[in-house]
Amino acid sequence: MEKIAVLIPCYNEEKTIKKVVRDWKKELPEATIYVYNNNSTDRTAEIAKEAGAVVRDEYQQGKGNVIRRMFREIDAQCYVMIDGDDTYPAEFGREMVDKVLERKVDMVVGDRLSSTYFEENKRPFHNFGNSLVRGTINRLFRSNIRDIMTGYRAFSYQFVKTFPVLSKGFEIETEMSIHAVDKNMLVENVIIDYRDRPDGSESKLNTYSDGAKVLKTIMGLYKNYKPMQFFGLLAAILMIIALAMFMPVFVGYLKTGLVPNFPTLIVSGFIAMAALQSFFAGLVLSTIVQKDRQLFEYKLQMVQMNALKILKETDR
């Protein structure tokens, strides 16, 4: 097991990867720098290898697929994940690593939004999207993560080996944040400087399509992690609709003794049944989620034991 592993997922970053690798070798000389080449069509892999990084390939396209491969293949006491576009300064890496190794923090978030992000980033819809995602997740999950979408993070071994990577693309950061909050892991924020991409370096993030994927991911994870709240809200909405349709029919019946809008009465009844089904679905699923949390705690213990075993074998 290595002490520190710096993970850099890359797709066509030949203009910046050399500087990124050298900056991190200078900042964390004891760390192993891994560059995972994700089907780049330029000289990213070649330049990274010349700069001293360990270069590996992931042929399934998408940042989530690259992170999945990294987390499976590498064993380390602390992981630092950054982008290869030179937007994240390496000088904050030591502080983030110390939080993982000394304070036993599970995930350290490099917070761009509290410093220079809104001044440096020239894409206004990205600024709006980051603020929207941060506000939505912190409200839905009652958390205090200051930057949900940042690609600058540090992780413990326990986090990496228990995190189920389901996303294929840029939704991966959102998934990490929600997973850490839901599983009651220790999360801390470190305010970092952010600099926009240098001239000639192009972002792979599509503002609208990737933004829609992120919002879809949030709703999907909210349903999976908080089923009682999700289905309870759905049940309440359906019941309000059913009552709004039923009350005029009921008032008319009280006045005349007749039901002139019989189809409306039937529809309101079916909607009320759907509301009840939604409510009980939330109850059942919340029980399953609670059981899953109990199993996750057991899994954490197994991962911790495995880490100690690997460290003992490494010391030999």
Side-chain angles (χ1 to χ4, degrees):
M1 179 181 286
E2 300 166 9
K3 186 174 183 179
I4 305 170
V6 178
L7 312 180
I8 312 176
C10 275
Y11 173 65
N12 289 345
E13 300 289 3
E14 66 177 3
K15 294 185 179 297
T16 54
I17 190 60
K18 181 177 181 179
K19 182 178 183 301
V20 171
V21 173
R22 288 186 173 180
D23 286 350
W24 280 95
K25 288 180 74 69
K26 179 181 178 181
E27 182 66 30
L28 298 174
E30 72 273 32
T32 303
I33 314 295
Y34 290 93
V35 171
Y36 272 67
N37 178 39
N38 193 207
N39 300 314
S40 295
T41 56
D42 60 10
R43 298 178 60 245
T44 295
E46 179 184 345
I47 294 173
K49 189 176 294 185
E50 291 173 354
V54 177
V55 178
R56 296 179 180 176
D57 291 301
E58 169 55 46
Y59 298 104
Q60 281 189 294
Q61 196 67 39
K63 187 174 183 179
N65 291 322
V66 181
I67 298 300
R68 181 187 297 111
R69 181 69 61 188
M70 289 175 163
F71 284 5
R72 286 178 182 175
E73 293 183 350
I74 300 171
D75 290 326
Q77 296 178 50
C78 176
Y79 302 77
V80 179
M81 184 185 77
I82 58 156
D83 293 338
D85 55 10
D86 195 32
T87 56
Y88 300 116
E91 53 261 32
F92 299 94
R94 178 65 65 182
E95 179 184 359
M96 297 172 74
V97 166
D98 288 344
K99 284 182 177 291
V100 173
L101 295 178
E102 297 177 8
R103 288 175 50 81
K104 308 301 180 185
V105 177
D106 291 298
M107 182 173 73
V108 184
V109 176
D111 175 15
R112 309 161 297 170
L113 304 187
S114 299
S115 62
T116 58
Y117 181 78
F118 293 108
E119 291 78 23
E120 288 287 327
N121 187 19
K122 305 302 190 295
R123 295 156 292 183
F125 284 106
H126 283 210
N127 297 340
F128 171 76
N130 272 282
S131 299
L132 175 64
V133 170
R134 177 179 62 177
T136 301
I137 288 180
N138 284 333
R139 285 184 178 86
L140 291 178
F141 292 89
R142 298 179 181 177
S143 60
N144 188 35
I145 298 179
R146 305 311 303 161
D147 190 348
I148 303 295
M149 302 289 293
T150 180
Y152 195 176
R153 299 169 189 252
F155 308 103
S156 66
Y157 178 83
Q158 287 75 16
F159 180 93
V160 166
K161 297 305 179 181
T162 58
F163 173 56
V165 182
L166 302 178
S167 300
K168 297 179 181 179
F170 287 101
E171 318 93 277
I172 184 68
E173 285 93 355
T174 303
E175 190 177 350
M176 287 175 175
S177 301
I178 293 176
H179 173 78
V181 170
D182 181 74
K183 293 301 185 291
N184 197 31
M185 291 187 160
L186 180 56
V187 180
E188 292 192 3
N189 303 288
V190 170
I191 297 176
I192 63 168
D193 293 332
Y194 175 86
R195 52 189 177 229
D196 205 7
R197 282 173 169 267
D199 293 338
S201 176
E202 296 182 0
S203 174
K204 316 304 183 300
L205 181 65
N206 184 288
T207 302
Y208 303 104
S209 64
D210 287 311
K213 290 178 183 177
V214 168
L215 293 176
K216 181 181 178 182
T217 299
I218 293 173
M219 290 299 102
L221 292 175
Y222 184 63
K223 172 179 66 68
N224 294 338
Y225 286 137
K226 305 284 187 180
M228 191 64 249
Q229 289 88 327
F230 181 87
F231 286 101
L233 177 61
L234 180 60
I237 293 172
L238 290 173
M239 188 58 72
I240 290 172
I241 294 173
L243 289 173
M245 297 178 68
F246 172 75
M247 289 308 296
V249 178
F250 182 65
V251 171
Y253 174 76
L254 292 179
K255 291 180 178 179
T256 65
L258 301 174
V259 183
N261 299 320
F262 205 79
T264 303
L265 178 63
I266 295 175
V267 172
S268 67
F270 278 112
I271 294 176
M273 290 174 61
L276 291 174
Q277 288 180 328
S278 179
F279 176 76
F280 285 109
L283 285 178
V284 173
L285 291 173
S286 64
T287 303
I288 295 174
V289 167
Q290 181 62 30
K291 183 65 176 179
D292 179 69
R293 289 199 180 104
Q294 295 172 355
L295 293 175
F296 180 79
E297 292 300 319
Y298 174 75
K299 186 177 181 180
L300 277 178
Q301 295 293 330
M302 295 297 100
V303 168
Q304 178 66 22
M305 292 173 61
N306 185 57
L308 294 174
K309 180 180 178 181
I310 294 174
L311 285 172
K312 288 180 180 178
E313 292 176 353
T314 303
D315 291 339
R316 291 176 186 172

